[in-house]
């Protein structure tokens, strides 16, 4: 178990930049930023914090078009955009709208997962190759009071779950404003069923030329037998 001496722990201030989406600062974004700051100062090991304080962050939200199937509710994107005035890179944590329906522990743990990426990145540690979470990710996740196991070879150590200690901190100290996320979840647009693809139609002329399948009606004649192609089946 990782034990932290909060009396001797130095807190840091983080800089958030909304230059690219100033008109979309919502109550849930403000609350997510507060949770992110809390995670950095209460769960991220102190040696990592100083470098995070030198960087600029933004929290964004959006609705994943594939959220019916999506299992991942967030991602960290380094150098998401640059400040117009001086080119300073801004790093983003993006939360899909489906995350707002999670319970408090799951939501904070999801944000803690992305905070691992942010902390490692700020300290020059590469913890992910494409979608594969590597050993450095697991090492810091464990230090940040999560269990971290391997899902499969393709995704690596991406399965993070809160320890009892982290759950106790979330419930006892963080005090998440659950009403904000409840309203955000209720405001999600309904999932629209994808239109069915047009039925493919089989066409043949009756000779040895064979047949072909297309999604449109055709009016063509076979060059070999002179017969017109006729619909014979659908798939």
């Amino acid at each position: 178990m990782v034990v932290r001496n909060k009396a001797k722990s130095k807190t840091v201030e983080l800089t958030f930049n909304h230059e690219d989406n100033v008109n979309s600062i919502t109550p849930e974004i403000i609350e997510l930023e507060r949770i992110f700051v809390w995670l950095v100062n209460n769960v991220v090991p102190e040696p990592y914090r100083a470098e995070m304080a030198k960087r600029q962050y933004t929290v964004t939200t959006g609705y994943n078009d594939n959220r019916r199937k999506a299992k991942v509710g967030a991602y960290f994107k380094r150098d998401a955009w640059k400040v117009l005035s001086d080119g300073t890179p801004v790093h983003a944590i993006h939360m899909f709208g489906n995350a707002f329906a999670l319970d408090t522990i799951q939501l904070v743990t999801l944000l803690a997962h992305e905070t691992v990426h942010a902390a490692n990145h700020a300290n020059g540690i590469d913890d992910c190759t494409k979608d594969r979470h590597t050993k450095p990710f697991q090492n810091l996740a464990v230090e940040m009071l999560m269990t971290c196991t391997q899902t499969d070879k393709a995704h690596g150590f991406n399965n993070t779950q809160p320890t009892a200690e982290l759950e106790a901190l979330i419930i006892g100290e963080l005090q998440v404003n659950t009403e904000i996320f409840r309203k955000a979840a209720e405001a999600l647009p309904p999932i629209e069923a994808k239109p069915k693809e047009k039925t493919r139609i089989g066409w043949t002329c009756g000779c040895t030329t064979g047949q072909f399948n297309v999604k449109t009606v055709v009016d063509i004649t076979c060059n070999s037998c002179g017969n017109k192609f006729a619909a014979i089946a659908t798939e």
Side-chain angles (χ1 to χ4, degrees), residues 19-232:
E19 189 175 274
D20 71 329
N21 61 346
V22 67
N23 295 322
S24 61
I25 302 175
T26 59
E28 56 268 26
I29 285 180
I30 294 172
E31 181 67 357
L32 287 169
E33 289 180 350
R34 185 184 73 85
I35 296 170
F36 180 55
V37 172
W38 181 88
L39 287 167
V40 170
N41 283 309
N42 291 274
V43 182
V44 172
E46 186 173 346
Y48 288 78
R49 299 177 195 167
E51 290 302 319
M52 296 186 76
K54 297 176 184 178
R55 284 148 177 81
Q56 293 192 29
Y57 296 94
T58 188
V59 176
T60 59
T61 62
Y63 301 123
N64 181 5
D65 291 338
N66 196 31
R67 64 187 181 278
R68 178 188 284 106
K69 297 180 181 179
K71 295 181 179 180
V72 176
Y75 61 81
F76 171 72
K77 185 175 183 180
R78 67 186 69 182
D79 304 333
W81 49 277
K82 293 184 178 180
V83 178
L84 292 176
S85 59
D86 59 13
T88 301
V90 179
H91 315 294
I93 291 180
H94 183 83
M95 302 285 286
F96 288 134
N98 59 353
F100 300 141
L102 297 172
D103 65 38
T104 299
I105 299 297
Q106 290 175 316
L107 178 65
V108 176
T109 303
L110 179 61
L111 189 54
H113 179 116
E114 304 311 324
T115 304
V116 175
H117 288 304
N120 272 330
H121 169 259
N123 287 272
I125 301 170
D126 189 0
D127 65 9
C128 200
T129 303
K130 293 185 178 180
D131 290 332
R132 186 175 180 274
H133 294 57
T134 57
K135 196 69 176 178
F137 177 88
Q138 184 191 41
N139 292 340
L140 183 54
V142 170
E143 281 201 75
M144 289 174 55
L145 309 180
M146 290 178 281
T147 62
C148 185
T149 56
Q150 181 170 307
T151 302
D152 52 44
K153 289 185 178 180
H155 296 90
F157 300 98
N158 71 333
N159 181 19
T160 47
Q161 299 296 328
T163 60
E165 185 179 356
L166 180 56
E167 288 192 18
L169 285 173
I170 293 170
I171 296 171
E173 297 185 15
L174 179 55
Q175 299 180 349
V176 174
N177 188 333
T178 57
E179 184 67 9
I180 287 176
F181 297 117
R182 183 189 65 78
K183 290 181 178 179
E186 290 178 350
L188 283 172
I191 300 174
E192 297 181 1
K194 291 184 178 180
K196 291 184 178 180
E197 295 185 356
K198 292 183 179 180
T199 302
R200 296 176 68 88
I201 306 171
W203 298 84
T204 183
C205 61
C207 76
T208 57
T209 301
Q211 71 178 62
F212 60 90
N213 299 326
V214 293
K215 295 180 181 179
T216 57
V217 175
V218 299
D219 183 14
I220 55 178
T221 301
C222 176
N223 291 331
S224 299
C225 65
N227 293 329
K228 280 197 169 187
F229 281 84
I232 57 168

